[in-house]
Amino acid sequence: MHPVRSGRNVKILLVEDNEDIREGLTDLLESEGYSVSGSGTAEEGLARLRSDSFHLVITDYMLPGQNGDWMLEQAEREHRLRGTSALMITAHPRVRPPEGVRLMHKPLDIDDFLRVVYESITPLRAVGG
């Protein structure tokens, strides 16, 4: 079921300021075969998007400094998200993500989270992205 089992290296950028959550999600995603790069701020995440390409960006909404919404909108303006899906996670009940960005609320259900990650990457694989 998981696209990474086919041998293709799927790259994910994970932007989460809580180190324990970032490490836990990184371990979970890597155990599924994904290649994960982590960042603790929106500014750091944007710098990663400027220097590398990813299949999926997962970002927390509330980050120190700028928020995840700002990072995704700035990356889109700079055309850094071509061929890249985005998923925003938040504990805030009234967050409205940018157009085309999936939203998941904390606390995350691990099975649902992995399903959404898989679904976010599958369309890209279908077009050879």
Side-chain angles (χ1 to χ4, degrees):
M1 172 174 172
H2 295 285
V4 294
R5 305 277 186 210
S6 68
R8 175 146 183 245
N9 190 23
V10 176
K11 292 169 49 178
I12 296 175
L13 174 62
L14 175 62
V15 184
E16 167 62 64
D17 61 312
N18 182 304
E19 190 173 342
D20 291 336
I21 293 172
R22 188 173 63 243
E23 287 179 7
L25 290 178
T26 296
D27 289 347
L28 174 68
L29 291 166
E30 287 178 345
S31 76
E32 293 294 315
Y34 298 105
S35 174
V36 181
S37 296
S39 296
T41 67
E43 295 84 355
E44 208 177 276
L46 184 58
R48 290 271 177 102
L49 286 167
R50 288 173 174 156
S51 65
D52 202 355
S53 61
F54 297 89
H55 297 95
L56 175 63
V57 176
I58 302 170
T59 184
D60 191 9
Y61 172 75
M62 187 59 76
L63 297 164
Q66 298 290 344
N67 63 32
D69 191 34
W70 172 87
M71 180 194 70
L72 292 173
E73 289 178 353
Q74 188 64 35
E76 183 64 36
R77 269 190 228 104
E78 296 178 16
H79 307 288
R80 304 286 176 185
L81 295 179
R82 287 188 181 148
T84 303
S85 292
L87 169 62
M88 186 177 290
I89 54 178
T90 185
H92 297 275
R94 294 185 188 97
V95 169
R96 192 167 175 197
E99 187 176 333
V101 175
R102 291 187 75 167
L103 180 69
M104 291 192 79
H105 289 279
K106 294 177 182 177
L108 295 173
D109 175 279
I110 297 304
D111 291 331
D112 284 345
F113 174 71
L114 289 174
R115 179 185 49 77
V116 169
V117 167
Y118 175 78
E119 290 171 358
S120 297
I121 292 169
T122 299
L124 300 176
R125 293 181 50 77
V127 295

